[in-house]
Amino acid sequence: MSAIRPKPDPEVTVLVDTVQAAAPAQAIEDVARPGSDRAAAIGALRTRLAHLGDTGDGAKERAEHLVDLAVRYGTRPFTSLEQARRLLGVDRPAFAALLDLFDRIPELATAVQRGPEGKYWTNTILPLERSGALDAVVRRRPAFPYSVGIYPGPTCMFRCHFCVRVTGARYDASALEAGNALLASVIDEVPDTQPSTVYFSGGLEPLTNPQLGELAARGGRRGLDMTLYTNAYALTERTLERQPGLWSLHAIRTSLYGLNDAEYEATTTKPRAFGRVRANLGSFMAQRAERQAPTRLGLNYIILPGRADRLMDLVDFVAELNEHSPDRPLDFVTVREDYSGRDDGRLAADERARLRDALQDFTAYARERTPALHVDLGYALESLRSGVDAELLRITPGTMRGSAHPQIAVQVDLLGDVYLYREAGFPELAGAHRYIAGRVTPTRSLDDVVREFVERNPHIEPRPGDEYFLDGFDQAVTARLNQMEQDVADGWEAHRGLLRQAGEA
């Protein structure tokens, strides 16, 4: 007598089919990660190619080439397409066919973004692609900037050793009234379609401007998601009482220069600064919880030489801050290396080796002790944590762009001067005046300044040392634009830059 077989459960069958389909997709999406299963990804791609009708000779080789492209751009995102073609050793028609296939398999785009240098894609390149700002630069088409830094601070209470600020340089107090009116006009002209465009930062401390709260409230009334970058030394209860508009900010990012008074004084030359900043942050968190204010609060922590082993203490510091507001803890921490490229900011080889292990311990400890905290390691540190020691991107005078990228980012100071690079907007900084695109006035808007600069298409000849005017964002943008223009020049305009949008098929 034959055994009676139960009828298959339709729900179980669907679940099994879904899991089986997900496994090959996962193999493709993870292929650019260190230690991935290359063979499994190739096998999964051969199946995908068959579904796309590619079953002819060479299908296995094409699958291998697609994997190679994903790995290359997940680890070297600024590779030109022609260089990638030469590395694969294929002719132009075959490479064009590969690029078409790459576009049709969205898991490959995911693989690139999950690679060791995926932060370049997710944090910078793809958001700019979606905005159209990159194409505006390449096509020399005027556009309101994607990012506008408002630099409202007339002075700074710190003198950080890595800061390019000229000692003693400041804006005269007499410039505040007219300057704030100009900055208010910039806030007013931001397109409604760009709510996250404006942030407050600067060469000098924004909170030294007594009208900063009014500027923040002005943006808040327009529905702008404005972020303040500050050292938080002046983020006192008295400041918040005098400037209630600060509660209109979307986020406050505090630059943290150490984890005790000695470290702070060694970096900022300001005695007892750490204790005051810590108290200000704790008080802000308590007030935020009491007000039920939506403003996000986070820390920017730069790993300076000799401090690679302090990351666990950073988690403890955050946990202690959270005691001021257990139900509304700190929102985020960004950890960065010194992007300036100066010798005094670089970590020695042995310290970088220790940092790799420290980053893994740090993220694990943060998940355990501060589970609600979002940790962002940025471009190179995420690579290092994954086991790939990727050096920070370095733009040199030879690779700087003579027309910069004002459709993507500009900075406006109290005088209305519009700077092309983020680290150029310091008063009296030698050579920085060459990177002023123009000046906002009561009769000349920021949009006017950018349009006139782009249409004039000047070429600013870079000089040695000018590369220090670019921060990490400026360097990534410059590298992407150089890559795009090279792809276009090489005849790959239809596929320039490989990825246009996240998830594009």
Side-chain angles (χ1 to χ4, degrees), residues 129-466:
E129 286 284 357
R130 288 190 287 269
S131 75
L134 288 167
D135 276 324
V137 178
V138 170
R139 301 181 189 284
R140 299 180 183 175
R141 184 178 66 243
F144 195 86
Y146 170 86
S147 172
V148 177
I150 288 183
Y151 287 8
T155 187
C156 186
M157 64 288 292
F158 290 168
R159 184 63 189 96
C160 300
H161 67 77
F162 56 80
C163 180
V164 299
R165 171 191 170 201
V166 176
T167 300
R170 55 179 297 161
Y171 296 93
D172 194 274
S174 63
L176 277 171
E177 183 176 354
N180 285 330
L182 291 175
L183 298 180
S185 72
V186 171
I187 292 172
D188 290 345
E189 68 171 303
V190 175
D192 293 337
T193 55
Q194 297 181 212
S196 302
T197 286
V198 174
Y199 65 95
F200 296 106
S201 185
L204 302 174
E205 168 55 40
L207 283 172
T208 60
N209 186 320
Q211 278 77 53
L212 178 62
E214 294 177 20
L215 293 172
R218 193 180 194 97
R221 288 192 293 271
R222 288 208 53 212
L224 302 184
D225 296 330
M226 306 174 79
T227 295
L228 168 64
Y229 291 76
T230 175
N231 60 36
Y233 188 84
L235 192 66
T236 62
E237 290 185 16
R238 189 174 184 183
T239 297
L240 292 167
E241 182 179 342
R242 288 180 171 181
Q243 302 193 59
L246 293 173
W247 292 107
S248 302
L249 291 165
H250 170 70
I252 296 177
R253 291 178 176 264
T254 295
S255 298
L256 198 66
Y257 299 118
L259 293 168
N260 56 48
D261 275 317
E263 288 181 351
Y264 246 73
E265 186 169 357
T267 301
T268 70
T269 70
K270 190 79 170 179
R272 297 179 297 280
F274 171 73
R276 175 163 168 164
V277 169
R278 178 177 56 187
N280 288 347
L281 292 173
S283 175
F284 180 89
M285 292 177 68
Q287 288 189 63
R288 182 180 67 163
E290 183 179 346
R291 289 170 168 266
Q292 296 184 330
T295 306
R296 290 167 54 80
L297 180 67
L299 304 175
N300 289 340
Y301 184 76
I302 298 177
I303 300 177
L304 298 173
R307 300 185 188 175
D309 59 349
R310 300 284 275 134
L311 288 174
M312 307 296 274
D313 296 325
L314 175 61
V315 176
D316 292 336
F317 175 72
V318 172
E320 291 167 7
L321 282 180
N322 288 344
E323 293 174 4
H324 293 272
S325 176
D327 296 328
R328 185 75 192 283
L330 197 78
D331 294 289
F332 59 87
V333 166
T334 62
V335 182
R336 300 288 188 267
E337 290 182 75
D338 182 355
Y339 283 98
S340 71
R342 292 179 171 82
D343 290 339
D344 61 355
R346 292 177 180 169
L347 302 180
D350 62 335
E351 190 168 17
R352 284 188 64 82
R354 295 197 305 274
L355 179 58
R356 180 181 60 244
D357 296 332
L359 287 169
Q360 294 178 353
D361 293 340
F362 163 65
T363 52
Y365 188 43
R367 285 194 298 270
E368 174 189 340
R369 189 153 191 220
T370 56
L373 184 70
H374 174 71
V375 176
D376 182 352
L377 298 180
Y379 300 140
L381 292 182
E382 185 63 42
S383 301
L384 187 62
R385 186 179 71 88
S386 68
V388 178
D389 192 2
E391 288 291 331
L392 283 172
L393 177 69
R394 298 296 180 199
I395 295 297
T396 66
T399 54
M400 287 178 66
R401 301 170 57 80
S403 57
H405 43 255
Q407 302 96 318
I408 293 175
V410 295
Q411 293 65 231
V412 188
D413 74 356
L414 272 171
L415 302 179
D417 286 333
V418 180
Y419 288 87
L420 296 169
Y421 294 123
R422 296 187 177 190
E423 295 295 311
F426 291 75
E428 302 179 29
L429 186 61
H433 66 280
R434 294 184 301 113
Y435 292 97
I436 296 176
R439 176 172 284 188
V440 175
T441 70
T443 59
R444 192 180 184 210
S445 68
L446 175 59
D447 190 60
D448 292 335
V449 171
V450 172
R451 187 184 67 255
E452 291 167 11
F453 182 86
V454 172
E455 290 175 349
R456 192 168 75 248
N457 190 30
H459 179 82
I460 305 169
E461 189 62 36
R463 299 173 184 172
D466 284 1

